[in-house]
Amino acid sequence: MAVRGAVLVSVVALGLVVGGLWWWAVLRLALVPEHSGVVEGAVAASGWGLSLLPVHATAARRATRASRRPRWDGISDPS
């Protein structure tokens, strides 16, 4: 259990750091574009590109025999 918590904390910390860097790059590009460089542009563009990935898409599961069977939960009529 302790290992799972440590991993979760480190993943959240990494996400906050990366998110902070992305916001820094975007705000720097928006507020002072004459002082922004290639690094800020690359960080901002890569973060925007990652947002276009369809992370909600997953492979379809095969239906099992139990899921094809009609269910009766005791609340409604099974017919």
Side-chain angles (χ1 to χ4, degrees):
M1 233 7 124
V3 173
R4 182 180 292 174
V7 169
L8 180 65
V9 168
S10 61
V11 167
V12 168
L14 179 64
L16 288 173
V17 168
V18 170
L21 286 174
W22 184 80
W23 275 108
W24 168 77
V26 168
L27 290 175
R28 187 164 163 96
L29 281 170
L31 299 176
V32 283
E34 63 274 358
H35 295 292
S36 300
V38 176
V39 174
E40 288 90 349
V43 169
S46 65
W48 179 76
L50 285 175
S51 70
L52 297 178
L53 288 175
V55 293
H56 63 278
T58 60
R61 287 181 163 176
R62 288 184 45 189
T64 62
R65 184 177 298 185
S67 66
R68 283 180 276 178
R69 207 175 345 167
R71 291 182 31 169
W72 184 63
D73 55 7
I75 297 171
S76 60
D77 188 25
S79 57

